[in-house]
Amino acid sequence: MDVELRHFRALVAIAAEGTITGAAARLRMTQPALSRTLRQLEQRVGAHLVERSTRHLRLTPAGEVFHGRAVTILAAVDEALAEAAASPRPLRLGYVWAALGEHTTPLLRAWRAAYPQVPLHVHRIDDRTAGLTRGDVDVAVLRTVPDDERLHVEVLYHERRHAVLPAGHPLADRSELDLADLRHETIGLVETETATTSPDLWPAEVRPQAFVETNNVDEWLTLIAAGGAVGVTPAGTAHTHTHPGVRFVPLTGVAPVPVYLVWPRRLSHRRTPDVVDLARRVVAAGTR
């Protein structure tokens, strides 16, 4: 039996979802059918690719190697099909919640002017690599460093942190604040793998006593707008998530947040180096 594209897609889906149930739903197939497909692949390869000792599946070392190849192969097939149809496959840029902040629109416009034949699609995907390790995007903007040797990570620029306050808050009209100004406030946190704010951001002597957790940036903004908390976030949030009920005030005396551009060492799109180069130039022009 030869290895088919369905075998590659099965392994990539399992790696992305971590369970047979989730992967089967992602591929719109039954769980028994997916399990059979995985067994067929392992028999053909002659190695175990998925560790089944826990309820949450994970790739074996051989599976990690095969997964990297599978993502590259599937991307190449998609690109070949698009080219055969005289329509280049879009280059996909993923982000978790803030993209490139003020540089996002300039990058998209510059790309359209320089490469009108290749669409650049932007996707918000709420996982630690914005869909990169799942093969859903070709390059990602992140504000936390992924621990994955298959990825190339570059610091593109640094963003100032802002306090996020309900409109009408006594501090909302200040031109600047520092962390000590927030010591008596309830702090809203976004509890995800990509969060850039935690209680440890504050020195112990001015650390607030009350923190409340939310599941995503939308819940977090709603909580703040309703007066239930204040927050701290990189400046890019203000550009990507405008909200009439909150005010963003720059913070002083706290380290800025690195903004990373991340892409696979095995490129999934041949235009990835072009968007990386263009992003560097757009950011450099915007920060002069």
Side-chain angles (χ1 to χ4, degrees):
M1 181 195 70
D2 293 330
V3 175
E4 303 172 13
L5 290 179
R6 62 189 179 91
H7 296 112
F8 293 122
R9 297 192 193 282
L11 186 68
V12 170
I14 290 170
E17 300 296 334
T19 65
I20 291 293
T21 301
R26 179 187 178 96
L27 295 172
R28 298 181 180 178
M29 62 191 303
T30 66
Q31 295 178 41
L34 178 58
S35 295
R36 286 195 300 272
T37 301
L38 175 60
R39 285 197 300 272
Q40 291 169 358
L41 175 61
E42 291 182 322
Q43 289 169 1
R44 179 66 181 85
V45 172
H48 290 298
L49 302 177
V50 177
E51 174 59 59
R52 302 173 179 81
S53 61
T54 62
R55 293 181 62 185
H56 186 85
L57 304 180
R58 61 183 178 184
L59 299 183
T60 64
E64 291 283 357
V65 173
F66 195 92
H67 175 269
R69 297 282 189 178
V71 169
T72 301
I73 289 169
L74 291 173
V77 169
D78 289 343
E79 188 167 354
L81 292 172
E83 289 179 351
S87 176
R89 179 173 76 77
L91 177 62
R92 303 160 302 173
L93 175 67
Y95 71 97
V96 178
W97 42 265
L100 288 172
E102 63 182 344
H103 306 292
T104 303
T105 298
L107 174 63
L108 296 177
R109 290 177 176 173
W111 180 268
R112 178 170 291 186
Y115 304 97
Q117 74 282 10
V118 182
L120 177 59
H121 291 178
V122 180
H123 303 277
R124 174 181 165 184
I125 300 176
D126 290 333
D127 74 18
R128 65 185 180 89
T129 65
L132 197 58
T133 55
R134 291 163 31 176
D136 292 337
V137 300
D138 305 297
V139 60
V141 178
L142 303 174
R143 286 166 176 79
T144 55
V145 180
D147 183 17
D148 193 323
E149 62 184 14
R150 297 170 298 176
L151 303 178
H152 181 88
V153 180
E154 176 180 318
V155 178
L156 196 57
Y157 64 99
H158 290 78
E159 268 185 342
R160 190 175 186 179
R161 295 179 194 259
H162 282 58
V164 190
L165 307 159
H169 190 283
L171 300 175
D173 292 330
R174 296 268 292 272
S175 60
E176 288 184 333
L177 296 169
D178 60 36
L179 290 175
D181 292 321
L182 307 179
R183 63 187 179 278
H184 300 304
E185 305 287 342
T186 296
I187 307 298
L189 302 176
V190 181
E191 282 299 301
T192 67
E193 295 177 303
T194 59
T196 58
T197 301
S198 73
D200 292 336
L201 182 65
W202 280 262
E205 63 272 16
V206 295
R207 185 170 299 157
Q209 297 301 305
F211 293 86
V212 59
E213 299 177 358
T214 60
N215 295 313
N216 54 60
V217 68
D218 302 300
E219 289 183 8
W220 175 78
L221 283 169
T222 300
L223 173 70
I224 294 172
V230 305
V232 173
T233 191
T237 307
H239 294 273
T240 306
H241 297 277
T242 57
H243 194 297
V246 304
R247 299 291 181 267
F248 293 86
V249 180
L251 281 171
T252 63
V254 61
V257 176
V259 179
Y260 303 96
L261 206 57
V262 185
W263 62 94
R265 295 188 183 278
R266 296 183 182 277
L267 300 183
S268 58
H269 196 292
R270 61 188 179 89
R271 289 293 188 182
T272 297
D274 297 317
V275 77
V276 170
D277 179 65
L278 190 59
R280 293 175 184 141
R281 289 189 280 126
V282 166
V283 168
T287 55
R288 286 174 186 164

